[in-house]
């Protein structure tokens, strides 16, 4: 029996990153555990809630970041008064780094970070508070150094789209914004196949979700060909946390 809940598992299956699911259930219903009270419900950035690195053979674990740590890292005023939390943690393909989101409420803002699994070598990939930044949403590691991420525009200076971002360099490329113009849950298969799969949220007029595949081509200026696999009815429930997203793999 493990002492902490598992959020993401290293590719070799020996290690995991754990998060505070009571906190996430409070700050982002649908992404945490229901029925477990958040002991820090009134605290914007608690020091005893965060991310833990855990050995899956022994259960030994240690905190790598508290929410307070990152809320005090180049803070904006809202971080001191609004609820902060971590979301969407994922190891890269060789287990050498993780990516995660630091979020705070009203309206929801996001910073996207990568680091080594022990918390060292922290790198800020994006910052929604930057006038030239973008709001990170869903993402997937394309390989050990490259992340595909939906970056949403918050100003006229930024284009929304699927981005290929090179970790720790600041290099990014928006891919075919005419074809990939909606947020979705993308994923790559293991290895370098040149293919990925993704989906969309329901169309507001038809309530239909789209499932599609893409294959990449080209050198540094990657382009994709999209192959639509089907459209599926997905009427939005009255409680958004009860919706059913595809998350294709």
């Amino acid at each position: 029996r493990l002492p902490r809940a598992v959020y993401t598992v290293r590719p070799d299956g020996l290690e995991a990153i754990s998060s505070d699911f009571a906190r996430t259930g409070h700050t982002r219903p649908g992404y945490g555990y229901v029925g477990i009270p958040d002991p820090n419900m009134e605290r914007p950035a608690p020091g005893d809630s965060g991310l833990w690195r855990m050995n899956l053979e022994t259960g030994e674990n240690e905190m790598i970041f508290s929410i307070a740590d990152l809320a005090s890292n180049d803070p904006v005023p809202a971080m001191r008064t609004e609820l902060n939390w971590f979301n969407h943690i994922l190891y890269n393909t060789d287990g050498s780094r993780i990516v995660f989101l630091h979020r705070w409420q009203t309206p929801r803002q996001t910073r996207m970070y990568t680091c080594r699994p022990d918390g060292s070598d922290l790198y800020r990939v994006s910052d929604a508070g930057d006038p030239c930044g973008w709001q990170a949403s869903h993402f997937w590691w394309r390989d050990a150094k490259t992340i595909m991420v939906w970056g949403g525009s918050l100003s006229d200076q930024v284009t929304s789209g699927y981005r290929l971002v090179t970790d720790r360099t600041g290099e990014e490329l928006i891919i075919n914004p005419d074809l990939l113009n909606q947020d979705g849950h993308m994923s790559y298969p293991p290895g370098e196949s040149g293919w990925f799969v993704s989906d969309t949220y329901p169309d507001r007029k038809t309530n239909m979700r789209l499932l599609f595949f893409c294959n990449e081509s080209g050198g540094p200026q990657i382009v994709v060909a999209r192959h639509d696999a089907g459209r599926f009815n997905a009427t939005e429930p009255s409680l958004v946390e009860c919706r059913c997203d595809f998350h294709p793999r």
Side-chain angles (χ1 to χ4, degrees):
R1 180 178 178 180
L2 295 171
R4 295 191 177 278
V6 170
Y7 198 110
T8 181
V9 177
R10 197 170 68 186
D12 64 7
L14 299 178
E15 181 183 281
I17 300 296
S18 176
S19 185
D20 185 343
F21 284 88
R23 180 70 173 185
T24 312
H26 171 210
T27 55
R28 190 78 197 280
Y31 289 76
Y33 289 157
V34 175
I36 302 177
D38 177 8
N40 296 298
M41 190 171 293
E42 304 299 328
R43 298 176 63 192
D48 59 353
S49 177
L51 300 179
W52 291 263
R53 183 186 191 187
M54 182 167 60
N55 184 310
L56 291 179
E57 294 184 319
T58 66
E60 183 179 352
N61 62 90
E62 61 178 352
M63 179 179 280
I64 60 173
F65 290 114
S66 71
I67 295 174
D69 289 335
L70 290 194
S72 62
N73 179 25
D74 190 19
V76 297
M79 291 181 188
R80 301 186 181 95
T81 58
E82 302 293 338
L83 296 176
N84 294 251
W85 75 98
F86 296 143
N87 221 171
H88 298 339
I89 308 106
L90 191 65
Y91 280 94
N92 68 353
T93 56
D94 66 7
S96 61
R97 292 183 71 78
I98 62 170
V99 60
F100 64 96
L101 303 182
H102 168 210
R103 287 180 157 166
W104 58 100
Q105 291 181 318
T106 319
R108 188 169 75 225
Q109 297 286 292
T110 303
R111 285 177 175 174
M112 184 179 189
Y113 287 97
T114 64
C115 67
R116 294 176 182 167
D118 63 2
S120 63
D121 196 19
L122 183 69
Y123 175 75
R124 188 185 300 171
V125 179
S126 71
D127 184 353
D130 185 327
C132 295
W134 37 269
Q135 180 93 316
S137 180
H138 304 102
F139 53 80
W140 196 266
W141 287 95
R142 181 173 181 255
D143 51 51
K145 297 181 180 179
T146 314
I147 307 166
M148 176 174 277
V149 54
W150 172 266
S153 172
L154 296 173
S155 72
D156 294 338
Q157 302 177 56
V158 181
T159 300
S160 294
Y162 278 59
R163 288 168 156 78
L164 281 177
V165 179
T166 305
D167 189 21
R168 294 184 287 178
T169 68
E171 297 177 2
E172 64 175 70
L173 173 67
I174 299 179
I175 307 174
N176 290 54
D178 54 331
L179 285 178
L180 304 176
N181 53 16
Q182 298 182 58
D183 190 5
H185 306 88
M186 69 289 289
S187 69
Y188 283 88
E192 298 182 6
S193 67
W195 287 82
F196 66 90
V197 62
S198 193
D199 62 1
T200 66
Y201 283 103
D203 181 275
R204 292 184 178 180
K205 294 181 179 179
T206 65
N207 287 324
M208 301 298 284
R209 290 178 183 267
L210 175 66
L211 178 68
F212 61 90
F213 297 84
C214 288
N215 63 304
E216 302 173 348
S217 61
Q221 296 299 318
I222 293 174
V223 297
V224 300
R226 195 180 83 185
H227 309 273
D228 294 351
R231 296 178 182 273
F232 305 88
N233 182 59
T235 303
E236 284 285 289
S238 56
L239 292 175
V240 68
E241 60 265 31
C242 293
R243 71 171 187 252
C244 182
D245 296 336
F246 281 153
H247 289 270
R249 296 289 185 268

